[in-house]
Amino acid sequence: MPCLLAIVVLAFPRIVLVLMWLFSSILDRAYHGLVIPLLGFIFLPITTIVYAWMATNGMPMQGFNLIILVVAVLLDAGSHSSGAGYYRRRRL
């Protein structure tokens, strides 16, 4: 079941963020406001989910947990850059 949840988060991170906001208090406990989750929704949705999960579970931001957070940032950055490369190749 956790693997299925991870696949859903990676496939549809913005939908997962909306569902987290509607049906849980995880984002409220992790981010004390609306600006950072809204920016995370637009630019870094996977990183926003991972950080909220770590912050609400009391996980320290060091060691292996920091590696997980960096991987989330790289996944988000990769999703932005792959779209740009696709459109650049398409115009040529």
Side-chain angles (χ1 to χ4, degrees):
M1 189 69 170
C3 290
L4 181 62
L5 182 62
I7 290 171
V8 169
V9 167
L10 290 174
F12 309 105
R14 288 179 176 89
I15 293 173
V16 170
L17 270 174
V18 169
L19 293 175
M20 286 172 66
W21 179 66
L22 290 174
F23 298 113
S24 74
S25 62
I26 292 174
L27 294 176
D28 294 332
R29 287 184 282 160
Y31 294 109
H32 311 298
L34 185 63
V35 175
I36 301 296
L38 187 61
L39 290 173
F41 178 84
I42 296 169
F43 297 111
L44 299 169
I46 297 172
T47 305
T48 305
I49 293 169
V50 169
Y51 178 80
W53 170 65
M54 287 182 178
T56 56
N57 287 325
M59 298 175 155
M61 296 297 162
Q62 59 187 6
F64 185 68
N65 294 337
L66 187 61
I67 292 171
I68 292 172
L69 196 61
V70 168
V71 167
V73 170
L74 292 175
L75 285 171
D76 282 329
S79 70
H80 291 296
S81 64
S82 65
Y86 171 77
Y87 286 114
R88 193 176 318 117
R89 284 189 306 268
R90 191 170 180 200
R91 282 192 291 181
L92 296 176

